[in-house]
Amino acid sequence: MDKDILLIFDLADRPGRIGILENERPIIWHPLADGLANRKIVQAVHAFLGERKMTLNQMNAFASVTKGSSFTGMRIGASVANAFAWVFGRPAVGVHSSSARLIQAAYKRATPNATIEITYPSDVIPKANPG
C-alpha cells in the first residue's frame, strides 16, 4: 500500500460519523443518522466506501474516537474498529480526538496487531492482539 488510509469511527457523540483519512489530507466525514450507529454501522461503512470507490481492504488501520458523552457509542466504535482490524490484519487505534493530526500520530505509534480496549471512564488501553 503506497498511501496511508484510515477508516475512523466517531460514535462517542450522537448522532455519530465515520470518516476517511488519507495521508495528510483533511478527514472526509460522513454523518450518520441518529441511532444508526447502534443498528447499521457496517452497512453505512460499505455505502460510504462504495461512494468513494474504496474497499475495507484498502484501509491501513481502523481508528475509533474514545472520548465523548456516549459510553455505548465509544464501545460500538471500538468494537467495530477491532473487528475490522482483526479480519484484515491491521491495527486498531483508539484516540481521544477526531483531529487528523492526532489520529495520524496515534497510527504511526500503533503496533501491527493493536486493539482498542475501553474502560470506564473512557480510558484507552492499547493492547496487543494475542493472535
Side-chain angles (χ1 to χ4, degrees):
M1 296 177 215
D2 55 354
K3 50 183 170 173
D4 291 328
I5 306 172
L6 284 72
L7 182 62
I8 306 159
F9 300 94
D10 186 0
L11 310 179
D13 290 309
R14 288 186 164 225
R17 60 189 179 166
I18 51 179
I20 292 180
L21 175 59
E22 287 188 65
N23 295 330
E24 303 300 320
R25 296 184 183 142
I27 298 172
I28 299 166
W29 290 108
H30 177 75
L32 300 173
D34 198 21
L36 185 64
N38 297 333
R39 296 189 315 262
K40 298 183 179 180
I41 187 67
V42 174
Q43 292 93 327
V45 166
H46 283 291
F48 176 52
L49 292 178
E51 290 169 5
R52 309 225 25 95
K53 300 193 180 356
M54 300 176 97
T55 66
L56 286 167
N57 198 40
Q58 291 175 276
M59 303 300 123
N60 294 85
F62 301 91
S64 181
V65 176
T66 56
K67 192 93 167 164
S69 62
S70 172
F71 186 64
T72 299
M74 286 183 264
R75 291 184 311 167
I76 292 169
S79 296
V80 175
N82 283 337
F84 284 146
W86 181 76
V87 167
F88 292 98
R90 311 284 198 290
V93 180
V95 293
H96 283 313
S97 167
S98 59
S99 156
R101 182 181 56 78
L102 295 177
I103 293 169
Q104 279 286 1
Y107 165 64
K108 291 189 186 312
R109 289 189 312 267
T111 58
N113 291 318
T115 60
I116 304 165
E117 182 177 328
I118 300 288
T119 62
Y120 186 80
S122 68
D123 291 327
V124 177
I125 301 172
K127 180 174 148 183
N129 187 351

